[in-house]
């Protein structure tokens, strides 16, 4: 039907019962997160395990039902902190905070002007105004991104 695990912020997924059975007929999906009998939307379903049922009927009256569990994984949540103002040749620590999630990995981009691009709170000392993007990834692969602007003044 669809992948067994999706992140809460993943786009909706087209459900295709034909991957189960190539015989002509009509099918219907049921379960939390089903939209228009075509899609599974993890944001509508919410975090947790969801049983999706696909019921199928051929023109000859043969019926079958398939059930599959889709697990919706929670996403990390981070407060990016405030945008920063520094003087040229100055530095300030970015004060981002984890609000939800454990064992997260961090990646700042661009890395220029940062003390370390793989920690939550690097020290910023860019030579020009820079928009930094923090990408946070959970151990299950769920990703969010936040932006912090560091304004440099002469």
């Amino acid at each position: 039907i669809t992948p067994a695990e999706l992140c809460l912020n993943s786009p909706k997924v087209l459900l295709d019962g034909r991957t189960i059975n190539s015989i002509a007929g009509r099918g219907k999906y049921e379960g939390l997160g089903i939209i228009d009998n075509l899609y599974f939307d993890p944001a509508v379903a919410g975090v947790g395990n969801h049983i999706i049922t696909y019921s199928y009927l051929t023109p000859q009256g043969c019926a079958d039902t398939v059930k599959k569990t889709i697990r919706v994984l929670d996403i990390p949540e981070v407060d990016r902190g405030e945008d920063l103002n520094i003087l040229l040749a100055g530095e300030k620590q970015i004060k981002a905070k984890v609000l939800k999630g454990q064992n997260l990995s961090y990646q700042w981009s661009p890395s220029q002007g940062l003390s370390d691009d793989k920690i939550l709170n690097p020290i910023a000392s860019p030579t020009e105004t820079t928009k930094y993007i923090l990408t946070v990834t959970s151990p299950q692969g769920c990703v969010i991104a936040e932006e912090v602007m560091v304004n440099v003044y002469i």
Side-chain angles (χ1 to χ4, degrees), residues 48-91:
N49 293 320
H50 303 282
I51 297 173
I52 304 303
T53 303
Y54 180 66
S55 300
Y56 186 81
L57 182 64
T58 68
Q60 293 79 23
C62 296
D64 196 8
T65 299
V66 176
K67 292 184 180 189
K68 181 173 182 178
T69 300
I70 299 175
R71 181 176 177 206
V72 177
L73 303 168
D74 207 356
I75 56 174
E77 190 175 334
V78 174
D79 176 349
R80 67 180 185 83
E82 295 184 10
D83 290 341
L84 302 176
N85 297 315
I86 64 171
L87 294 175
L88 184 61
E91 63 181 33

Side-chain angles (χ1 to χ4, degrees), residues 9 16 43 48 52 72 74 78 80 96 111 121 125 148 153:
N9 61 347
D16 186 4
I52 304 303
V72 177
D74 207 356
V78 174
R80 67 180 185 83
S111 60
N121 302 115
S125 56
V148 175
Y153 296 96

Side-chain angles (χ1 to χ4, degrees), residues 13-34:
V13 176
L14 177 65
L15 301 171
D16 186 4
R18 290 175 296 165
T19 60
I20 297 169
N21 189 342
S22 60
I23 301 171
R26 293 180 301 174
K28 180 178 179 178
Y29 289 97
E30 294 177 305
L32 195 58
I34 300 299

